Amino acid sequence: MKICMWNVRGANRNLFLSHAKEIGFNQNPDIFIFLETKADGSRARETMLALKFSDFRVVRPIGTRGGIWMFWKKTVDMVLFDAENTYFHSLFHFKNFGKEGLVTAMHAPSSSKEKHHHWNSIRSNLPPKNTPWLVLGDMNEITGQSEKMGGRPFRVNQGKDMLNFMDEAGLVDLGFNGSPFT
């Protein structure tokens, strides 16, 4: 089972679909999640069909901000889908894994007040402890000075809400591959 996530920063751009096809062909994911689509369900349906996925769900953008699409193939069955403005929870039954797993994708807000609400909202809706859970996305948060370059210095309480959420949920940061400052 393979999941790909891409922060596209606009799915209506001319080269979006050709890049999405290239990633889909090279990676062949069972689930493909697009963040910050800034686009509606009709563009999502068009993209899903072009990438040869079986079904999809959309978290609509708010004006010209946000938007999340999730596509999946017949190798997985969606059991449950619940969405908020900045994230979704989706419970899948993975046929080759033999059990269910929860996938949460988010494009967290960038303002401090909205971040506080976002992390507390997710923290108040944790899955049962024995549920396999993958949380991915653009957290729009840093937890130390080494995660930023330039600008104002890191403040100790800056990533506190996200770290509290991770601690309470028992999540571990798996790290990343690529440019550290995107």
Side-chain angles (χ1 to χ4, degrees):
M1 184 261 317
K2 187 184 272 190
I3 299 174
C4 285
M5 186 217 54
W6 178 22
N7 189 343
V8 301
R9 296 182 183 105
N12 285 320
R13 293 177 297 131
N14 292 337
L15 294 175
F16 162 74
L17 194 53
S18 63
H19 288 310
K21 285 179 179 179
E22 182 180 346
I23 293 168
F25 178 76
N26 290 333
Q27 298 299 321
N28 192 27
D30 299 295
I31 299 172
F32 203 158
I33 299 168
F34 298 88
L35 302 178
E36 206 173 358
T37 62
K38 304 178 185 180
D40 63 12
S42 61
R43 179 67 167 167
R45 176 173 293 287
E46 173 189 330
T47 304
M48 180 206 68
L49 293 171
L51 298 177
K52 298 180 176 29
F53 280 86
S54 305
D55 209 345
F56 74 105
R57 291 290 184 275
V58 171
V59 177
R60 294 176 189 238
I62 301 168
T64 59
R65 295 175 49 202
I68 305 172
W69 300 344
M70 177 181 58
F71 304 158
W72 66 92
K73 293 183 178 174
K74 291 179 182 178
T75 55
V76 293
D77 293 321
M78 184 192 302
V79 178
L80 173 81
F81 182 82
D82 183 38
E84 293 290 328
N85 290 334
T86 56
Y87 67 93
F88 71 78
H89 296 297
S90 187
L91 187 65
F92 284 101
H93 177 80
F94 298 97
K95 294 175 183 173
N96 59 349
F97 187 52
K99 59 187 337 185
E100 293 176 348
L102 183 64
V103 175
T104 299
M106 67 180 71
H107 185 261
S110 53
S111 81
S112 295
K113 184 178 180 180
E114 289 175 342
K115 280 184 197 183
H116 180 73
H117 174 74
H118 169 82
W119 293 116
N120 287 329
S121 172
I122 293 176
R123 209 165 95 210
S124 69
N125 192 19
L126 297 177
K129 294 279 185 202
N130 60 348
T131 305
W133 190 18
L134 174 65
V135 178
L136 48 91
D138 183 345
M139 309 310 175
N140 270 324
E141 193 65 85
I142 61 171
T143 59
Q145 184 64 42
S146 64
E147 295 179 356
K148 70 183 297 302
M149 184 168 47
R152 296 179 182 177
F154 173 74
R155 297 180 323 273
V156 175
N157 65 347
Q158 195 165 341
K160 187 172 113 181
D161 288 330
M162 183 182 78
L163 291 172
N164 287 342
F165 157 70
M166 289 177 62
D167 186 51
E168 203 167 311
L171 297 175
V172 177
D173 185 348
L174 297 177
F176 67 94
N177 186 2
S179 175
F181 305 114
T182 58

